[in-house]
Amino acid sequence: GLKTELMVTLERSNFYQVLVWLHDKERDFSRAIDCYLKDPNLQRQVFQYIRTIMTEGEMNLGERDRVKDKVISRMHELIGIGSEETAELIAEVFTDEHSQVVRQLEKYPELQFKYLKGVIERANAAKAKGADPFDDVVRSGPTAGVRVLEKEHERYIELMATFEPSQVYAYLVAHNTYRLELALAVCEKNEIVD
């Protein structure tokens, strides 16, 4: 119908801001998120949009699930736009999906590294402000509630050895959230001799 033709015309003309507004009014939040991601001028605003609709909006369970599924399926793009913002978003709005996000990013090791780095650095910042240094659950701040598992710390070390090898030694010295034998094997495999 006419509405479909209008939507197609707007998309062909790259009028994503108008499409975002229309999709939002129709409560088609997933399509609104797609429009944010398609428009380079709107991309950085997607985090606030998702946060707002998930925390302030009157959404039913089906709408919440569709938004969650959209965020998980487009995770690699979100991290490409802003890894720290994505880590914050997951921690604030999708805390229960943290492990699913880590698994989803297995196919994108560099993005998985950026995501884990964002989460772990925020956890470290919270611990530096007085949280229990042996607690692997962030209790305050933008990543409150995210549990960083031992295997995720170990995966982070493996990825760091690939993407930021000069940082591995400092991380190992400052943390005890990994198995020593794994850390030694990673260092040996990647010829990190510090």
Side-chain angles (χ1 to χ4, degrees):
L2 182 60
K3 187 174 100 179
T4 304
E5 286 180 40
L6 174 63
M7 296 286 199
V8 169
T9 301
L10 289 170
E11 185 153 0
R12 281 190 190 137
S13 302
N14 296 324
F15 290 142
Y16 293 110
Q17 197 163 7
V18 175
L19 284 165
V20 164
W21 184 82
L22 289 170
H23 290 310
D24 190 70
K25 292 299 169 210
E26 291 191 338
R27 302 185 65 77
D28 193 346
F29 305 114
S30 294
R31 284 205 172 123
I33 292 168
D34 286 336
C35 290
Y36 272 104
L37 294 174
K38 288 178 183 176
D39 187 339
N41 297 317
L42 295 177
Q43 286 179 341
R44 298 211 64 89
Q45 298 171 33
V46 72
F47 302 104
Q48 186 57 46
Y49 176 75
I50 295 168
R51 187 177 290 107
T52 300
I53 62 173
M54 292 299 286
T55 59
E56 298 172 14
E58 300 280 325
M59 297 175 73
N60 65 42
L61 193 55
E63 290 169 334
R64 293 182 76 75
D65 285 345
R66 283 189 292 280
V67 169
K68 179 183 77 170
D69 292 345
K70 177 60 68 176
V71 168
I72 299 294
S73 71
R74 305 291 295 268
M75 186 60 54
H76 60 285
E77 292 170 78
L78 292 168
I79 291 171
I81 294 166
S83 57
E84 287 189 23
E85 293 95 332
T86 304
E88 274 185 36
L89 181 68
I90 297 302
E92 290 175 16
V93 182
F94 303 103
T95 305
D96 296 339
E97 281 71 34
H98 164 72
S99 292
Q100 184 181 356
V101 169
V102 173
R103 283 191 307 276
Q104 178 82 13
L105 294 173
E106 285 289 331
K107 296 176 275 190
Y108 308 97
E110 188 168 4
L111 295 177
Q112 187 183 44
F113 171 68
K114 288 179 179 181
Y115 172 73
L116 286 170
K117 182 177 183 178
V119 170
I120 290 170
E121 284 182 354
R122 292 186 180 286
N124 291 338
K127 289 175 186 178
K129 291 180 182 171
D132 180 352
F134 299 105
D135 189 356
D136 64 352
V137 177
V138 184
R139 303 254 180 238
S140 62
T143 54
V146 171
R147 177 176 293 279
V148 182
L149 304 174
E150 179 183 61
K151 68 181 181 180
E152 292 166 349
H153 280 281
E154 292 174 352
R155 177 67 177 149
Y156 177 61
I157 293 166
E158 291 173 13
L159 293 167
M160 185 186 300
T162 301
F163 297 110
E164 291 182 5
S166 64
Q167 302 301 310
V168 172
Y169 178 75
Y171 183 84
L172 294 176
V173 168
H175 298 86
N176 62 354
T177 52
Y178 56 87
R179 291 172 292 159
L180 185 57
E181 61 276 7
L182 175 113
L184 290 172
V186 167
C187 289
E188 192 173 284
K189 176 184 169 195
N190 291 282
E191 299 177 2
I192 298 170
V193 293
D194 291 338

